[in-house]
Amino acid sequence: MIRLYDRKATDFSTNGIKVLQPISCIVTEEINGDYSLEITMPKWDTSIQNESIISAPTPKNENQLFRLYKTQIDALGNNTY
């Protein structure tokens, strides 16, 4: 389950602001390198803002917290973070 939290959240035991239903959600993990999340949301979903926190499952089946800091809009108008 992928959950959205406010940027000032400290309690991550709840579902946060909402449970997200993204178009895609990719966790990238490189040895001694990048560990990041790329999530694409439909253009009508504007609930995510910069510095929001997302809890997402990782390849090791653990939930990891990610802070969003970069936004892009794809050719279809969907938001990618």
Side-chain angles (χ1 to χ4, degrees):
M1 188 168 18
I2 302 168
R3 298 175 296 221
L4 174 67
Y5 295 94
D6 183 70
R7 65 185 183 94
K8 295 181 181 180
T10 56
D11 178 16
F12 301 104
S13 62
T14 67
N15 283 337
I17 296 172
K18 68 188 272 185
V19 174
L20 298 176
Q21 296 180 348
I23 295 171
S24 72
C25 183
I26 302 169
V27 175
T28 304
E29 180 178 10
E30 297 174 7
I31 297 174
N32 295 325
D34 183 40
Y35 190 67
S36 60
L37 170 81
E38 181 177 296
I39 186 167
T40 302
M41 297 297 295
K43 60 184 171 184
W44 52 263
D45 189 344
T46 59
S47 59
I48 299 177
Q49 305 201 354
N50 276 346
E51 297 188 7
S52 293
I53 299 170
I54 290 185
S55 172
T58 63
K60 297 177 184 175
N61 295 326
E62 301 171 359
N63 281 341
Q64 179 69 42
L65 298 175
F66 297 92
R67 184 171 301 272
L68 302 175
Y69 65 91
K70 183 178 174 185
T71 304
Q72 297 176 344
I73 299 176
D74 68 11
L76 299 174
N78 298 316
N79 295 315
T80 300
Y81 303 92

